[in-house]
Amino acid sequence: MNTLTETASHDTEHHHGPAKGIKRWIFTTNHKDIGTLYLWFAFIMFLVGGAMAMVIRAELFQPGLQIVEPHFFNQMTTVHGLIMVFGAVMPAFTGMANWMIPMMIGAPDMALPRMNNLSFWILPFAFLILLASLFVEGGGPAFGWTFYAPLSTTYSGDSTALFVFAVHIMGISSIMGAINVIVTIWNMRAPGMTWMKMPLFVWTWFITAYLLIAVMPVLAGAVTMVLTDKYFGTSFFNAAGGGDPVMFQHIFWFFGHPEVYIMILPAFGIISTIVPTFSRKPLFGYPSMVYATASIAFLSFIVWAHHMFTTGMPVFAELFFMYCTMLISVPTGVKVFNWVATMWRGALSFEVPMLFSIAFIVLFTLGGFSGLMLAITPVDFQYHDTYFVVAHFHYVLVTGAIFSLIAATYYWLPKWTGVMYDIGLAKLHFWCSLISVNVLFFPMHFVGLAGMPRRIPDYSIQFANWNQLISLGGFAFGLSQLIFLALVIKACRKQGEPVPAKVWDGAHGLEWEVASPAPYHTFTTPPEIK
Amino acid sequence: MAEQNSHYYVPAQSPWPIVGAIGFFLVAVGAGNLVAQLSQTGEAGWGRFILLVGFIILLVMMFGWFKDQISESRAGLHNAQLGVSYRQGMSWFIFSEVMFFAAFFGALFYARMISVPWLGGASNNAMTAEVLWPSFEAIWPLTTTPGGTTTQAMGYWGLPLINTIILLTSSITIHFAHTGLEANKRKQLTLMLGLTILLGMSFLVLQVEEYIHAYQDLGLKLDSGVYGNTFFLLTGFHGMHVTLGTLFLIVIFFRVLAGHFSPDNHFAFQSASWYWHFVDVVWLCLFVFVYII
Ligand code: HEM
Ligand SMILES: [Cu+2]
């Protein structure tokens, strides 16, 4: 997006347009530049992680071992997961936050702009290390994105130390990013932007940021213990020394479950922004949306062991975590209800962001339902570690988090670039993605229920037909994203009709009051909030 | 909020963040290589040089970044709103540090209350104990691990108690340094701040003593099972934080001598003192849960 506008507002003498050339991007303290960097980085990582998924699906096209070594297959599943979670979804949401939060609350920038630059620029280095570790002798991390001990301690390769330090850097980046969001929202709101006037995207990110600063340090603790167990003879996760491998899972999932909400709460905010615009009605139940988000965040801290039902916890713990998990579906249900109620009797129109949002509502809910099935302890004994779990979390993450990110891009891209993207291509992207994603993930429910285990490069012959279909869906979904890439590049090159400040006639919010493309500095003097 | 907003301060571009990013990168690569090399060959390879260069770059970055920051602040570029942002940022950073320690305290509680008793047959694990390590006795401190490693426990009397008193006192002295600053009593400020630094350093010296005692007399080591692990990682990370806090205070001390800070503008001093109180509270938890109980 290096042709972004140079029209800085010249109302104050201090402010200049962007610096020229590469320096602009390396030294920048501008929230829009940093948002752009985050988004492009996330997109590139999405394609890299996607390429790994293609390797996985190629191997699983047929039963038996054909294309890659099992050890390499394990590295692919591991690094695919790590990249998608930490390199694609999280940075993409942070990019959205950087671009939109200051504009939505009428602030001139993020509260701590230099730290903002640092939190972005350490990320590419972290992923450079992670990707480079694939080429270390003995290979990269191969223990799953969840790096359970003892796979990551006793049985892992020499690259584990690199993995640990890369995760540390990702954590530092997320924590700094989250602190920035928190401080910006506390301290930089324009006068009159009271808490209950804040757009929901701002609210959901505010709560997400708290989840981040609460659990990313715990992840840092977990990788540190893996490091010392592997290299310095400690026995946190080793029964012979008085520790317990299951303790790893407790620590990891104490981070891990809030982490999945870190990846979905901002998505809720996006959907809550887009649906009212194209329903031409205010969001139904705004306060209940805020409270539901807060309750989900709270509950997400007391459900972690639903990932561990089969580890042999005491029955009391199994029941406690089962009921708490089910409780989460109440606030989640409130949200889905409110989105549907917003559309109810609205003057609906189906622009591309709305198409993706509606797909989100339906398909994310489907993922929530399979989550509910998994939450039932005795039933999970059968489903655990099968493709059913893979289906569940891809419905919530791909048709959930990723679809919301795509919807957000289609919603705000004209504001960023000043031109309308190619709507024909966008619709093609939507239909291709929608169909292929379901061909890809829906049959995973069937093979999962029938007992096909996850993270294994081979499978029993009776799963062959469905797996072929799944792989075809996978390739199609992967290719469909290239349409998106082409479309975004075109829009960044300003190929398209110029758009007015208010791109969508039903839209509300401060971001639509500034010109399109948004000037380099917005709101150097605080706006009037009605 | 309303009044301050009319003049926002948006800082100019800065080279320091990218320098810092490169520093982090080299530290991670260097440390990753060093750790792997050490465990494979017992010898440090090229990783240690990269690690060192990384650390130096990080130091240079901090120095440069803070220098710019200080000169901007003293040039009056910062406004009250930015001060609030810094304070809030610092408090939430400290909160994230609390959560980092929480992970290790969590491991300690889990080991004490779940994994060790279960290995001894508690709950429904009688058969586990019988089959795996029938002679294992579940006690805390875990002086004999199921695998047979033995050690002695570290008492709380003596060095740890003295260290507790030292840190508690230092929290009081930093408080009086702060009141001195606010009342513009520079002498009290310098004296109390100096005292705090001395107390911090003595804490560190005594902790080194304690580690030597643990290794040489008690046979309590990093690899002496989960008791030794939690002991050394908790006290070790705490010690690292005390070291950082002391360095932070030393920088503040020199800035005080150079006449920096005023009764109503002293963010750096305040964050150093918050950090110090935080380190102190962590120690109190450590003293109770690692040493006494
Ligand atoms: C109604 C809400 C939800 C419920 C009841 C639920 C329940 C569960 C349960 C019980 C599992 C463990 C299955 C097993 O391993 O046997 C699981 C796995 C998972 N869930 Fe959910 N979930 C919900 C929503 C979400 C959301 C919103 C996300 C992310 C955006 C998510 C992401 C994941 C992931 C990534 C895993 C698999 C982790 C792994 O083992 O690799 N879930 N879920
Ligand atoms: Cu979960």
Side-chain angles (χ1 to χ4, degrees):
Chain A
M1 270 188 214
N2 43 18
T3 48
L4 260 184
T5 178
E6 312 249 319
T7 45
S9 59
H10 288 289
D11 51 340
T12 31
E13 57 280 53
H14 291 314
H15 296 123
H16 319 283
K20 294 272 174 294
I22 185 84
K23 277 192 180 163
R24 164 175 178 188
W25 300 104
I26 291 182
F27 299 144
T28 186
T29 46
N30 180 288
H31 73 101
K32 300 187 184 84
D33 283 352
I34 294 175
T36 305
L37 286 169
Y38 264 113
L39 288 171
W40 270 112
F41 174 74
F43 199 3
I44 293 167
M45 282 295 121
F46 178 61
L47 296 176
V48 173
M52 294 177 179
M54 298 297 106
V55 174
I56 297 171
R57 282 323 313 175
E59 173 60 46
L60 292 177
F61 190 71
Q62 284 178 9
L65 299 176
Q66 6 258 334
I67 301 176
V68 293
E69 292 282 309
H71 184 58
F72 187 72
F73 182 89
N74 290 346
Q75 292 172 49
M76 286 295 103
T77 53
T78 304
V79 182
H80 163 75
L82 289 168
I83 285 190
M84 287 306 194
V85 170
F86 296 105
V89 175
M90 290 171 69
F93 279 126
T94 314
M96 296 285 171
N98 264 293
W99 251 103
M100 301 319 299
I101 289 177
M103 283 210 274
M104 287 179 152
I105 61 174
D109 207 303
M110 297 292 279
L112 305 163
R114 285 186 189 147
M115 191 174 84
N116 204 11
N117 176 310
L118 180 62
S119 35
F120 171 75
W121 274 108
I122 58 181
L123 263 189
F125 288 115
F127 283 89
L128 189 66
I129 297 176
L130 184 67
L131 287 172
S133 79
L134 285 171
F135 300 97
V136 168
E137 214 184 290
F143 27 67
W145 83 280
T146 51
F147 59 102
Y148 278 12
L151 290 177
S152 56
T153 53
T154 318
Y155 304 108
S156 63
D158 288 324
S159 62
T160 308
L162 287 174
F163 157 81
V164 167
F165 292 114
V167 171
H168 272 304
I169 297 186
M170 296 168 202
I172 294 172
S173 163
S174 295
I175 290 170
M176 288 194 298
I179 290 178
N180 225 333
V181 168
I182 289 175
V183 177
T184 305
I185 296 174
W186 271 107
N187 198 29
M188 304 286 281
R189 279 171 294 133
M193 178 56 78
T194 53
W195 288 105
M196 290 313 258
K197 275 191 195 160
M198 282 190 335
L200 258 169
F201 180 67
V202 180
W203 256 117
T204 51
W205 239 113
F206 184 62
I207 292 169
T208 303
Y210 276 102
L211 291 182
L212 277 167
I213 57 171
V215 301
M216 292 311 282
V218 176
L219 174 69
V223 285
T224 305
M225 290 179 221
V226 164
L227 183 83
T228 58
D229 262 21
K230 179 165 174 62
Y231 295 105
F232 298 104
T234 62
S235 22
F236 286 104
F237 311 134
N238 177 0
D244 186 348
V246 176
M247 173 170 33
F248 173 85
Q249 298 186 27
H250 280 291
I251 299 174
F252 179 83
W253 287 115
F254 182 83
F255 147 79
H257 189 81
E259 166 68 20
V260 306
Y261 280 96
I262 286 165
M263 295 189 283
I264 205 68
L265 291 185
F268 291 167
I270 290 168
I271 302 305
S272 309
T273 312
I274 294 177
V275 169
T277 297
F278 299 104
S279 308
R280 291 163 187 80
K281 271 175 66 189
L283 182 69
F284 183 89
Y286 171 93
S288 66
M289 282 298 211
V290 173
Y291 300 135
T293 311
S295 350
I296 291 177
F298 169 74
L299 287 173
S300 73
F301 283 102
I302 50 168
V303 297
W304 76 86
H306 63 216
H307 296 271
M308 306 167 52
F309 284 144
T310 57
T311 55
M313 288 183 298
V315 175
F316 172 77
E318 306 258 348
L319 290 178
F320 173 83
F321 286 108
M322 172 169 93
Y323 288 128
C324 286
T325 304
M326 292 185 160
L327 213 54
I328 293 204
S329 39
V330 177
T332 314
V334 168
K335 289 191 165 277
V336 175
F337 179 86
N338 286 353
W339 292 322
V340 176
T342 306
M343 288 194 279
W344 178 253
R345 299 205 164 157
L348 295 190
S349 60
F350 300 97
E351 281 85 348
V352 185
M354 185 64 163
L355 290 177
F356 272 100
S357 301
I358 295 174
F360 173 100
I361 297 174
V362 175
L363 297 176
F364 170 80
T365 306
L366 220 133
F369 285 148
S370 57
L372 267 177
M373 291 170 71
L374 291 166
I376 304 168
T377 307
V379 175
D380 183 66
F381 283 19
Q382 179 192 339
Y383 303 160
H384 179 64
D385 257 342
T386 68
Y387 258 80
F388 191 80
V389 178
V390 180
H392 158 66
F393 68 74
H394 282 95
Y395 265 92
V396 285
L397 284 171
V398 178
T399 59
I402 302 271
F403 267 31
S404 82
L405 283 163
I406 297 176
T409 311
Y410 283 130
Y411 189 59
W412 284 311
L413 191 60
K415 172 57 62 186
W416 301 336
T417 61
V419 298
M420 184 48 84
Y421 44 81
D422 186 333
I423 294 181
L425 268 189
K427 290 208 162 143
L428 182 70
H429 175 222
F430 172 72
W431 288 109
C432 289
S433 299
L434 182 74
I435 295 169
S436 58
V437 88
N438 283 294
V439 176
L440 165 58
F441 294 124
F442 205 77
M444 288 187 182
H445 291 111
F446 313 147
V447 288
L449 290 181
M452 177 173 159
R454 63 189 282 212
R455 290 173 170 161
I456 308 281
D458 187 7
Y459 49 81
S460 173
I461 201 95
Q462 73 268 28
F463 304 126
N465 291 346
W466 283 125
N467 268 291
Q468 259 165 20
L469 189 65
I470 291 171
S471 286
L472 291 177
F475 302 140
F477 185 72
L479 287 176
S480 310
Q481 304 322 305
L482 299 180
I483 307 176
F484 187 44
L485 178 66
L487 177 147
V488 175
I489 291 178
K490 256 178 86 177
C492 291
R493 293 191 161 169
K494 315 249 177 201
Q495 297 171 354
E497 290 292 306
V499 288
K502 194 167 171 190
V503 178
W504 314 106
D505 61 356
H508 289 283
L510 291 175
E511 77 262 37
W512 305 110
E513 286 172 21
V514 302
S516 304
Y520 196 58
H521 293 285
T522 32
F523 302 127
T524 41
T525 46
E528 194 72 48
I529 314 273
K530 280 152 251 148
Chain B
M1 205 189 304
E3 308 77 40
Q4 311 154 4
N5 275 6
S6 45
H7 276 296
Y8 283 125
Y9 174 66
V10 180
Q13 292 205 333
S14 163
W16 298 116
I18 190 77
V19 173
I22 294 169
F24 275 116
F25 173 61
L26 295 181
V27 166
V29 172
N33 178 273
L34 179 68
V35 168
Q37 284 287 319
L38 275 179
S39 83
Q40 266 171 0
T41 59
E43 276 165 48
W46 46 266
R48 68 193 140 146
F49 301 113
I50 297 195
L51 182 62
L52 189 69
V53 174
F55 271 125
I56 293 172
I57 293 182
L58 280 185
L59 275 180
V60 171
M61 178 272 286
M62 280 205 250
F63 187 79
W65 190 322
F66 290 139
K67 201 169 148 238
D68 285 1
Q69 202 73 16
I70 292 164
S71 55
E72 282 166 13
S73 154
R74 294 180 61 76
L77 285 177
H78 295 181
N79 58 19
Q81 189 183 22
L82 194 66
V84 175
S85 289
Y86 283 162
R87 282 183 177 75
Q88 289 182 350
M90 186 67 192
S91 359
W92 292 116
F93 167 69
I94 290 179
F95 172 75
S96 73
E97 291 265 53
V98 169
M99 291 309 293
F100 181 73
F101 278 99
F104 290 92
F105 275 108
L108 172 71
F109 298 148
Y110 189 91
R112 274 192 73 158
M113 292 161 63
I114 298 180
S115 72
V116 168
W118 284 7
L119 284 167
S123 184
N124 57 356
N125 298 284
M127 275 314 287
T128 310
E130 203 50 51
V131 172
L132 286 177
W133 291 285
S135 58
F136 171 64
E137 211 186 322
I139 45 164
W140 193 268
L142 183 69
T143 44
T144 308
T145 65
T149 314
T150 56
T151 172
Q152 284 173 37
M154 175 69 73
Y156 66 87
W157 207 242
L159 283 181
L161 186 63
I162 298 175
N163 259 348
T164 309
I165 296 168
I166 289 181
L167 267 198
L168 284 183
T169 319
S170 76
S171 239
I172 299 172
T173 53
I174 189 91
H175 174 73
F176 280 115
H178 194 185
T179 55
L181 173 55
E182 281 181 331
N184 217 359
K185 293 184 186 150
R186 303 293 286 198
K187 238 180 159 167
Q188 176 184 339
L189 165 63
T190 337
L191 181 73
M192 286 299 164
L193 190 56
L195 260 178
T196 314
I197 294 169
L198 283 182
L199 288 169
M201 288 178 175
S202 7
F203 174 89
L204 287 171
V205 172
L206 289 186
Q207 188 161 25
V208 172
E209 283 284 313
E210 187 194 342
Y211 277 10
I212 295 174
H213 170 62
Y215 262 75
Q216 290 184 346
D217 309 332
L218 302 180
L220 177 60
K221 300 185 176 143
L222 182 60
D223 54 8
S224 317
V226 78
Y227 172 65
N229 307 162
T230 47
F231 176 84
F232 279 107
L233 280 186
L234 274 165
T235 57
F237 275 119
H238 176 262
M240 272 162 62
H241 282 77
V242 176
T243 313
L244 281 179
T246 312
L247 289 176
F248 198 178
L249 287 176
I250 291 175
V251 173
I252 298 294
F253 186 71
F254 283 110
R255 288 188 60 189
V256 167
L257 291 187
H260 291 191
F261 305 123
S262 67
D264 43 38
N265 182 9
H266 50 262
F267 162 71
F269 178 92
Q270 201 164 41
S271 51
S273 107
W274 282 348
Y275 198 76
W276 197 254
H277 287 308
F278 148 70
V279 165
D280 218 34
V281 171
V282 172
W283 177 261
L284 269 187
C285 298
L286 271 177
F287 189 60
V288 172
F289 292 115
V290 176
Y291 291 92
I292 297 187
I293 303 185

